[in-house]
Each structure stands twice: as structure tokens, then as C-alpha cells.
Amino acid sequence: MKKICFLLLAILGQVTLAKVSYKNYKVYSITPKSEHALKTLIDLETEAMEFSPFQFWHGPTKVGHEVTLMVGPEIQQNIKNMLNNSDFDSRIMMDDVEEKINNENRLWRSDVVNPVNWTVYNTLDEINNWLESLAIEFPSYITILKPGKTHQGRDIVGVKLDFSPLIQKQVVFMESNIHAREWITSAVNTYILDQFLRSTQTDIRALAQKYTWYFFPVMNPDGFVFSHTENRMWRKTRTRYNLFCYGADPNRNWGYQWMNGGASQNPCSDIYAGPRPFSEESVEVMRGFIANITDNMIAYLDFHSFSQMLLLPYGHTTDPLDNYDEMMKIAEVAMAKLEAVHRTSYIFGNVAETIYIAAGSSMDWVKGEFKVPIAYTYELRDRGQFGFLLPAEQILPTAEETLVSVVSIFEEYEKLHPTP
Ligand code: 0X9
Ligand code: ZN
């Protein structure tokens, strides 16, 4: 009996204390070719628990649509058996996830006071300290914002950038890292902010000065810290929902078409929508903040990874938006400009059509409630070679090409709606 208790304690200790290892985890790209194959994948997804030795990076949606599945060594053989069937197309995308995690940040890390330089991925403290340093360096233009706290008591930190605070302008909101593990997204967001402050390029200067900007590089600080310290593949918030499972998906928790497709009521699922809309403190805080600045909001951009896509609302339906044609036209030009920088190709279109049905996102809430004219979700690099574990040497090129496309979005919009 004593022995068993000891063993149990040891296992629990493993589970709660040690950093999760993904040694010998593989990532499969799988395409279900029949309804039966699709159902097998959906059943597997429903089974997923917090400590299951597998995790969907992109969940099953429909026949013919690619799924990304990470698989631990203990069930490798079972998955192989499952896939050994003409109902599935499959290939291995990644051989050892832990090796990719170890290589992700391997560049030289400077020990100067300010380590945000887009050659490594930064921690929450580093990002927040950097934002504070901008407020000191550019006191006339930058205001630090702390609209409230997360479930674990962390500040959600953002900045307002305004080059002419006395003149009222339209507002743009830029969010990233609502999903914890998508580290490239806050790196790109902070790069854009930095360029708006320092670039001497005329098109960038003109854009920066034209609007009032809100940057929130880390929308989900609790999850982000957890993805740095405990589990690199963490996606959700950190609210405890039962004995084993934590977190709701903060991009399924917003109160527009909540739970209307592509979301789950299982607290152990990676797309758990939460017990009710705005149940997550961080989401509730940002709802209050954003609702106060929408009067004059012209654009809402949110950054995710990975897949190389530019997505238009909505996530619950394939019905076109009121300004669908315009949004598609702008996307086409912006993605061509993006591709011209480093030959990175993007696809674009409605969320539900291009990626999958997904209701309850921040972008859909902003678009649905406030009819903000420009609303896009980026799925940044790559297409799956590294997935969420994009090597740090790709931060700068990813950020450069994304900035070019952001400039283009606003230029194209201006052409369609010239300001007098
Ligand atoms: O599933 C998501 O939340 C996003 N993809 S990710 O792989 N980064 O998790 C897609 C968001 C789709 N956006 C809307 N529903 N508007
Ligand atoms: Zn995401």
C-alpha cells in the first residue's frame, strides 16, 4: 500500500512539476478521404485529455481537409495501424518535436539590458519591460496600458501609439499570442510597433502617423508564461476546470456566435469554449477595453500561427461578409506584396472556408458587434515544417514580410475609400 501511494505521488509529481518533454513525439499530416476516416479522427479528438500522448495541432473538419496530429512514442504503433488504410493519406511532418523545441531559440542571446531584438523569442517579462522602455524613450507618443489582470493575477500589458494625440484619428487594434504557443505572433507584433517608431521609410512613417494604434502583444499572459516554463505546446488560458484539465480556448470564448461550431464543451479539449462567453478573466478584461475604443475603429488585426493564411470573418459561416469583395481584393494585393519580399506564399479567404469552422473568436466578436470595416486574422509562417516551433532565425523575415502586407492593407483600403 505504502509503495503504491509513493508511486502515485511520484507520478503526480512528474505530471505537475517537470517540464513536459516531447522527446520522440512525431507530427503527422493526415487527410481523411472518407466519412468513416473523418469520424475516426473526430472520435480521437473527443478522447483527448490533458495528458494524452497525442494532440491535434489542426483538428479534423471535413473529408479531404488536412489534419495535423502530434503523437507520442507510446501510441506511435497504434496510429500507424490506424493510418495503414486507404481511407487516409498521411505523411510524417516532424520526427522529433523535442529536438525542434531545443533548436527553436538557439541563436546567441544578448545579455544587454534590452533583449527584444527579433533574433530570439522573448519571455513575457522581457516583452513587458521593453514596452515600458518605449514609454520612457517616446513619452510623447507611447502610453502604457494595463486594463486589468488575468486569472493568475498578471497584468495584461499593451501600448497606445499616437503621433498627434491632440488630433482625433481612426483607431487600429493589433493583437497577438491569444494562443500561448504561437510565439512568432508577439515577435511580429512588437516588430511592427518598433518599426512604426523607428523606421525612416516614408510609407511606414505615413501609416504610423495616420491612425491611433493599440498594440497588445500578449493577450493571454498566463498561457504564454506556461508555454515558456512548463509546456511548450500549451494553447489555452490556465483556469482550472476539473481535477486534470486546465484552461479554455481564449479564441472560442468571445460572445459572438459562441459555441456555434468548431468549439467544444469538454474542458480537456484544446478548443474548449469555456463554461460561458467571456468566462476567462483575460478575455473579459479585453472585451471591456476594446468595447470602449470601437467608436472610431477602422481595423482589427490578430496574429496567429501557423499555415500562411490571411482570414476574413466569420468563423461560424461561409456566408460572405457585407464588404466581402472589398476585403478579398485588399487581401489579394496585400498577399502578393507579402510574397514578393521573401517568396512566402499565402492563401486567403473566409475563415470557415479556408481553415475550418471556428466560432467565438475575438475577430468575429469585434466584426459582429461593431462592424469594424477591416478585420483580418493572420496565420503566420510556416506551412508545417516547424509549425509552432518556427526557428528564431525566421522571426525577422516573417516580421518584414508581414509589415509590408500590413502597410498594403491600409494603402489599398485608402484607394477604395479616399479620405478627403
Ligand atoms: O483556431 C483558431 O483559433 C485559429 N487557428 S489556430 O491554428 N491559430 O488556432 C483560427 C481562427 C479563426 N478565426 C475566426 N474564427 N475568426
Ligand atoms: Zn492561434
Side-chain angles (χ1 to χ4, degrees):
M1 184 63 190
K2 234 182 180 174
K3 231 180 182 172
I4 295 177
C5 281
F6 191 70
L7 198 74
L8 212 67
L9 277 177
I11 293 171
L12 276 177
Q14 272 292 102
V15 163
T16 50
L17 295 178
K19 191 165 177 175
V20 177
S21 164
Y22 289 100
K23 185 94 201 92
N24 293 326
Y25 274 62
K26 293 188 194 310
V27 179
Y28 288 82
S29 155
I30 304 168
T31 307
K33 296 199 300 185
S34 69
E35 288 298 339
H36 181 255
L38 178 67
K39 178 153 187 322
T40 311
L41 292 172
I42 291 174
D43 288 348
L44 191 64
E45 192 185 35
T46 323
E47 253 175 52
M49 293 285 288
E50 200 112 306
F51 300 111
S52 305
F54 64 89
Q55 185 188 42
F56 281 94
W57 283 10
H58 290 132
T61 51
K62 46 185 168 185
V63 174
H65 270 222
E66 189 188 347
V67 160
T68 334
L69 177 63
M70 177 173 73
V71 181
E74 53 273 65
I75 59 158
Q76 218 84 244
Q77 196 52 48
N78 306 47
I79 297 293
K80 262 195 211 151
N81 296 345
M82 178 186 95
L83 295 175
N84 191 9
N85 176 323
S86 58
D87 271 4
F88 293 102
D89 271 345
S90 68
R91 70 192 159 87
I92 293 181
M93 282 168 52
M94 208 181 279
D95 242 332
D96 180 2
V97 173
E98 187 70 12
E99 184 203 307
K100 293 281 193 298
I101 292 176
N102 294 336
N103 282 339
E104 180 180 31
N105 232 342
R106 83 191 131 81
L107 285 190
W108 171 76
R109 205 181 166 90
S110 87
D111 50 9
V112 290
V113 189
N114 191 348
V116 176
N117 62 9
W118 303 280
T119 62
V120 290
Y121 289 106
N122 295 112
T123 63
L124 182 71
D125 284 347
E126 288 167 347
I127 293 172
N128 288 348
N129 289 341
W130 179 75
L131 293 174
E132 302 270 1
S133 77
L134 293 181
I136 295 169
E137 194 179 349
F138 302 96
S140 323
Y141 310 141
I142 289 276
T143 316
I144 289 279
L145 304 163
K146 292 181 184 168
K149 295 203 188 280
T150 65
H151 183 67
Q152 296 179 329
R154 294 189 174 87
D155 276 315
I156 305 171
V157 185
V159 299
K160 176 179 176 181
L161 166 63
D162 195 333
F163 280 103
S164 48
L166 296 178
I167 301 168
Q168 221 211 358
K169 298 179 288 302
Q170 288 177 304
V171 164
V172 183
F173 192 96
M174 312 270 274
E175 72 149 80
S176 45
N177 263 136
I178 200 166
H179 285 147
R181 63 191 170 192
E182 298 167 11
W183 290 0
I184 183 63
T185 65
S186 50
V188 166
N189 205 356
T190 51
Y191 176 84
I192 296 173
L193 168 59
D194 190 68
Q195 287 294 301
F196 279 6
L197 286 163
R198 299 181 205 281
S199 171
T200 50
Q201 218 176 290
T202 44
D203 53 348
I204 296 175
R205 289 258 51 77
L207 178 61
Q209 288 165 12
K210 190 169 173 190
Y211 300 111
T212 300
W213 299 85
Y214 290 90
F215 290 86
F216 277 84
V218 183
M219 291 277 281
N220 170 15
D222 293 349
F224 186 69
V225 168
F226 195 74
S227 74
H228 276 266
T229 57
E230 310 279 330
N231 182 348
R232 178 65 191 87
M233 300 322 302
W234 193 254
R235 165 180 169 101
K236 301 188 284 178
T237 62
R238 288 298 299 165
T239 321
R240 185 170 201 169
Y241 280 110
N242 67 30
L243 192 57
F244 293 111
C245 296
Y246 290 76
D249 182 344
N251 212 34
R252 298 292 182 280
N253 193 237
W254 298 69
Y256 182 77
Q257 300 286 333
W258 182 79
M259 272 305 293
N260 187 12
S264 164
Q265 273 301 277
N266 169 9
C268 300
S269 160
D270 253 348
I271 48 169
Y272 177 43
R276 56 182 184 281
F278 303 111
S279 58
E280 303 314 285
E281 281 94 327
S282 51
V283 174
E284 176 61 19
V285 164
M286 293 315 294
R287 162 186 48 179
F289 181 82
I290 293 166
N292 267 325
I293 54 166
T294 47
D295 267 358
N296 225 355
M297 191 179 281
I298 184 176
Y300 192 94
L301 301 183
D302 66 326
F303 296 102
H304 286 254
S305 70
F306 60 97
S307 289
Q308 294 172 204
M309 293 172 175
L310 187 68
L311 304 170
L312 290 47
Y314 292 101
H316 67 285
T317 172
T318 52
D319 289 352
L321 285 173
D322 43 4
N323 64 346
Y324 179 86
D325 292 343
E326 199 171 284
M327 289 288 285
M328 287 295 278
K329 220 191 250 159
I330 295 171
E332 188 180 352
V333 178
M335 292 305 101
K337 293 245 171 88
L338 185 154
E339 183 167 355
V341 182
H342 294 295
R343 308 251 60 89
T344 310
S345 70
Y346 268 59
I347 58 171
F348 55 90
N350 162 285
V351 171
E353 251 161 24
T354 313
I355 178 165
Y356 42 59
I357 295 264
S361 73
S362 54
M363 171 178 80
D364 286 8
W365 177 76
V366 172
K367 182 76 191 177
E369 291 278 320
F370 307 105
K371 310 290 178 259
V372 170
I374 304 172
Y376 288 113
T377 296
Y378 277 82
E379 293 285 349
L380 299 172
R381 288 193 195 185
D382 58 8
R383 282 253 160 85
Q385 186 189 356
F386 297 100
F388 302 114
L389 308 172
L390 194 71
E393 53 266 42
Q394 290 200 39
I395 297 174
L396 262 183
T398 306
E400 287 161 1
E401 68 199 14
T402 309
L403 174 58
V404 166
S405 74
V406 168
V407 172
S408 163
I409 287 174
F410 289 96
E411 280 174 0
E412 292 308 305
Y413 187 82
E414 170 76 24
K415 282 184 200 158
L416 298 167
H417 303 266
T419 35

PDB file of all heavy atoms in Angstrom, residues 2 4 35 114 238 317 361:
ATOM      1  N   LYS A   2       1.845   1.237   0.956  1.00  0.00           N
ATOM      2  CA  LYS A   2       2.768   2.381   1.053  1.00  0.00           C
ATOM      3  C   LYS A   2       3.465   2.639  -0.291  1.00  0.00           C
ATOM      4  O   LYS A   2       3.569   3.760  -0.762  1.00  0.00           O
ATOM      5  CB  LYS A   2       3.829   2.053   2.101  1.00  0.00           C
ATOM      6  CG  LYS A   2       3.935   3.116   3.181  1.00  0.00           C
ATOM      7  CD  LYS A   2       5.022   2.710   4.117  1.00  0.00           C
ATOM      8  CE  LYS A   2       5.210   3.694   5.217  1.00  0.00           C
ATOM      9  NZ  LYS A   2       6.177   3.183   6.196  1.00  0.00           N
ATOM     10  N   ILE A   4       2.442   1.799  -3.247  1.00  0.00           N
ATOM     11  CA  ILE A   4       1.544   2.327  -4.267  1.00  0.00           C
ATOM     12  C   ILE A   4       1.360   3.835  -4.097  1.00  0.00           C
ATOM     13  O   ILE A   4       1.419   4.604  -5.061  1.00  0.00           O
ATOM     14  CB  ILE A   4       0.173   1.602  -4.220  1.00  0.00           C
ATOM     15  CG1 ILE A   4       0.372   0.141  -4.597  1.00  0.00           C
ATOM     16  CG2 ILE A   4      -0.828   2.264  -5.156  1.00  0.00           C
ATOM     17  CD1 ILE A   4      -0.847  -0.696  -4.521  1.00  0.00           C
ATOM     18  N   GLU A  35     -15.904   9.589 -45.030  1.00  0.00           N
ATOM     19  CA  GLU A  35     -16.616   9.999 -43.814  1.00  0.00           C
ATOM     20  C   GLU A  35     -16.184   9.134 -42.641  1.00  0.00           C
ATOM     21  O   GLU A  35     -16.069   9.599 -41.512  1.00  0.00           O
ATOM     22  CB  GLU A  35     -18.145   9.881 -44.025  1.00  0.00           C
ATOM     23  CG  GLU A  35     -18.722  10.936 -44.949  1.00  0.00           C
ATOM     24  CD  GLU A  35     -18.573  12.376 -44.458  1.00  0.00           C
ATOM     25  OE1 GLU A  35     -18.390  12.582 -43.230  1.00  0.00           O
ATOM     26  OE2 GLU A  35     -18.603  13.296 -45.299  1.00  0.00           O
ATOM     27  N   ASN A 114      18.235  45.263 -22.845  1.00  0.00           N
ATOM     28  CA  ASN A 114      17.009  45.101 -23.596  1.00  0.00           C
ATOM     29  C   ASN A 114      17.128  43.984 -24.624  1.00  0.00           C
ATOM     30  O   ASN A 114      17.658  44.174 -25.699  1.00  0.00           O
ATOM     31  CB  ASN A 114      16.696  46.415 -24.306  1.00  0.00           C
ATOM     32  CG  ASN A 114      15.312  46.381 -24.876  1.00  0.00           C
ATOM     33  OD1 ASN A 114      14.694  45.322 -24.929  1.00  0.00           O
ATOM     34  ND2 ASN A 114      14.833  47.518 -25.297  1.00  0.00           N
ATOM     35  N   ARG A 238      -5.261  29.403 -18.217  1.00  0.00           N
ATOM     36  CA  ARG A 238      -4.856  28.478 -17.158  1.00  0.00           C
ATOM     37  C   ARG A 238      -5.898  28.344 -16.038  1.00  0.00           C
ATOM     38  O   ARG A 238      -5.559  27.967 -14.914  1.00  0.00           O
ATOM     39  CB  ARG A 238      -3.495  28.925 -16.572  1.00  0.00           C
ATOM     40  CG  ARG A 238      -2.322  28.673 -17.511  1.00  0.00           C
ATOM     41  CD  ARG A 238      -2.104  27.214 -17.835  1.00  0.00           C
ATOM     42  NE  ARG A 238      -1.813  26.413 -16.653  1.00  0.00           N
ATOM     43  CZ  ARG A 238      -1.869  25.083 -16.616  1.00  0.00           C
ATOM     44  NH1 ARG A 238      -2.205  24.401 -17.687  1.00  0.00           N
ATOM     45  NH2 ARG A 238      -1.584  24.437 -15.502  1.00  0.00           N
ATOM     46  N   THR A 317     -19.698  30.690 -40.274  1.00  0.00           N
ATOM     47  CA  THR A 317     -20.457  30.536 -41.524  1.00  0.00           C
ATOM     48  C   THR A 317     -19.597  30.869 -42.739  1.00  0.00           C
ATOM     49  O   THR A 317     -18.670  31.689 -42.655  1.00  0.00           O
ATOM     50  CB  THR A 317     -21.696  31.462 -41.519  1.00  0.00           C
ATOM     51  OG1 THR A 317     -22.313  31.422 -42.811  1.00  0.00           O
ATOM     52  CG2 THR A 317     -21.326  32.912 -41.215  1.00  0.00           C
ATOM     53  N   SER A 361     -14.380  33.685 -31.802  1.00  0.00           N
ATOM     54  CA  SER A 361     -13.058  34.330 -31.813  1.00  0.00           C
ATOM     55  C   SER A 361     -13.183  35.824 -31.515  1.00  0.00           C
ATOM     56  O   SER A 361     -14.262  36.412 -31.634  1.00  0.00           O
ATOM     57  CB  SER A 361     -12.394  34.151 -33.180  1.00  0.00           C
ATOM     58  OG  SER A 361     -13.025  34.987 -34.125  1.00  0.00           O
TER      59      SER A 361
END
